[in-house]
Amino acid sequence: MIVLYGSDRAWRLALDAALRTVGIAVRTASRQAELAKCLTGAGTAVELVIVGPTREDETVARATVSSLAAHLLTGNRVDTTTPDETIAEIVRRAQALLAR
């Protein structure tokens, strides 16, 4: 499962739809508390956190994953995006990262 974390709602919705289209399970979060809940909640283990393209999004996501590391069953990878990346590029990279 992938968690999408970012402050841009349009980005989250577009990427969520694109990932689901290729069969990847997704949860979304726009606040730090939501991200923490996605990472520690019951259900499928999170394999990857994709972070929105702002520096603030990256800082919050990395701090949250780091602070919860002792409580997580699997090592969560954090993948940051850039403002010039297309949704298709992010989906291809996510597929490649999950295949590792």
Side-chain angles (χ1 to χ4, degrees):
M1 175 178 286
I2 289 180
V3 173
L4 303 178
Y5 174 76
S7 55
D8 183 336
R9 184 175 190 270
W11 176 85
R12 284 191 324 274
L13 292 175
L15 190 51
D16 178 37
L19 288 166
R20 288 178 190 276
T21 298
V22 296
I24 297 175
V26 180
R27 291 184 73 185
T28 63
S30 62
R31 296 185 321 243
Q32 187 174 18
E34 291 173 338
L35 177 58
K37 185 176 179 180
C38 287
L39 294 172
T40 59
T44 307
V46 174
E47 298 175 72
L48 179 64
V49 178
I50 298 179
V51 181
T54 69
R55 173 62 81 197
E56 182 181 342
D57 289 343
E58 179 182 2
T59 300
V60 170
R62 289 192 184 279
T64 304
V65 170
S66 177
S67 70
L68 295 172
H71 304 288
L72 302 175
L73 298 176
T74 60
N76 295 104
R77 295 176 285 188
V78 176
D79 183 52
T80 56
T81 59
T82 61
D84 61 335
E85 282 184 291
T86 67
I87 295 296
E89 290 170 331
I90 298 168
V91 169
R92 279 193 299 275
R93 190 168 69 243
Q95 289 175 307
L97 288 170
L98 290 177
R100 290 184 190 173

